[in-house]
Amino acid sequence: MADVMLLDFWASPFGQRCRIALAEKGVAYEYSEQNLEQKSELLLRSNPVHKKIPVLLHGGRPVCESLIILTYIDEAWPEMMPLLPRDPYARAQARFWANYIDNKIVDCQTRLLTTKGEAQEQAKKDMIGALKTLDSELGDKDYFGGQAFGFVDVAFVTLTPWFYTYEKYGDFSVEEHCPRIVAWAARCRERESVAKALTDPEKVYEIVQEEYGAN
Amino acid sequence: RPHNLTINLYLTSSTATRAKMSAPAAVRVIGAFDSPFSHRAEVALRLKGVPYELILEELHNKSELLLTSNPVHKKVPVLLHGDRAVCESLIIVEYVDETFDGPRLLPSDPYDRAMARFWARFIDDKCSKPFWLAMWTDGEAQKGFMKEIKENFALLEAQLEGKRFFGGDTIGLVDIAACGFAHWLTVCEEVSGVTLVTAKEFPRLCRWAKEYASDEKVRACLPDRAQMLAHFTANKEMFMAMAKSMLPK
């Protein structure tokens, strides 16, 4: 087994976060595509609690949960391309916004894509509100952490291919409400690590429709 | 206004600002009486020996300070350190660990840190809700949540094998995250009449709960048990209604 292995699923935005981080750090690793319908022995053994991807295996030891994996990657390979800033307060703010993305955006996404009628209307309102909050937090900075691509950018950029799907399901324009986020996403996509990792937005829409039924 | 008076005022205020910045920044916690999340922030500071001022909120009547310090979630706890506001209890614990000297709250090894974060998140994401619902719902739903929380407690029980605390010999992030199961759990059990944790089923968890709650620094910021009991008893109906509203339709 390679020293570093990533158990992942090609379209997972959570797995993509890990791929971007490993690429930014220049860490060589073995990518292992997992079958989520028929979970492998390795996956079940590596993540017995949640049985989910992504899982990072380093020297055979598993690290689970994408944000925890990101932090681990940052701490295990500290010399190259720091993802979290050095200042404890800036680190706390980065963690806060990464949590916000995982709690708010992902929750709104699920409700937006799987509900109808009033519930979906509410999900749409909440999603727009959450995206605007992030747009406001980004402000006029190049990246969430300031001048350098970092933790929050990695956490959020993999959800940006899903904007097209949010727009289709919710009938709204992300750019209209959050022009700075849209510009930031394009800026991030100029990085090779990001361009390689992200799923094409049309493909995301296709997968979501297959998974949840047509819009 | 005379010219020289204006200049004097300017000099006075900038001197005052410089003096304030060179003094150690004040630490305050915006918390709530019987919130385990609020306790997490306090215990982290006490373990580090950092003095702080506690500001208790009435959660049905939130202060201007809370609303401006945590505009996104409007929740306690918030750690105020000088002019910094740190929100979310587990983030506060990590901030305290990184900012102040004293015993480590997280291990130094990156893998061990990842494990600690994993179990702390597990407690918040997988234990809080089924625990609460197992306490305050009834019937078939209650049985389901009971099964779920017991399965998750079994995982925590396994983590305690051969260890005094989740953190090893000393209290760490996971112990702090699990504080609800040390002090709040028996109060909930008493008020709801639901027994979740017995020494027979979860001997390590029971022993850990006593160890944690009897630590001198922890005890200093645990809410008074009798007061909590009275408070929870008074709110029992409300908790049951809240729990019912959380059930899937």
Side-chain angles (χ1 to χ4, degrees), chain A residues 9 35 44 49 58 105 132 139 156 158 202:
Chain A
F9 177 70
N35 182 343
L44 296 174
V49 174
H58 188 195
I105 300 286
K132 284 172 96 147
F156 193 30
T158 61
E202 298 261 4

Side-chain angles (χ1 to χ4, degrees), chain A residues 62 71 75 91 95 99, chain B residues 85 88 94 98 111 113 117:
Chain A
T71 310
E75 293 179 355
R91 292 160 75 83
R95 288 176 180 135
N99 277 2
Chain B
E88 313 243 302
E94 289 217 38
E98 291 171 1
Y111 187 74
R113 291 163 74 80
R117 289 175 179 132

Side-chain angles (χ1 to χ4, degrees), chain A residues 170-201:
Chain A
D171 187 27
F172 68 97
S173 156
V174 173
E175 179 148 26
E176 183 192 317
H177 296 280
C178 313
R180 291 177 291 196
I181 291 288
V182 171
W184 159 85
R187 191 176 305 126
C188 291
R189 277 198 305 275
E190 288 170 12
R191 303 179 82 84
E192 196 185 338
S193 64
V194 174
K196 273 191 166 166
L198 298 191
T199 313
D200 181 66

Side-chain angles (χ1 to χ4, degrees), chain B residues 216-236:
Chain B
E216 183 198 331
K217 298 197 167 87
V218 169
R219 253 205 339 254
C221 53
L222 283 175
D224 174 73
R225 198 180 189 278
Q227 247 184 298
M228 260 213 318
L229 200 56
H231 186 220
F232 274 52
T233 304
N235 284 323
K236 183 177 175 178

Side-chain angles (χ1 to χ4, degrees), chain B residues 12 39 50 65 88 101 123 127 140 142 161 174 177 204 223 241:
Chain B
T12 308
H39 164 81
V50 176
L65 180 65
E88 313 243 302
D101 293 328
I123 286 161
C127 297
E140 281 310 305
Q142 195 268 347
E161 185 174 350
V174 183
R204 295 182 203 134

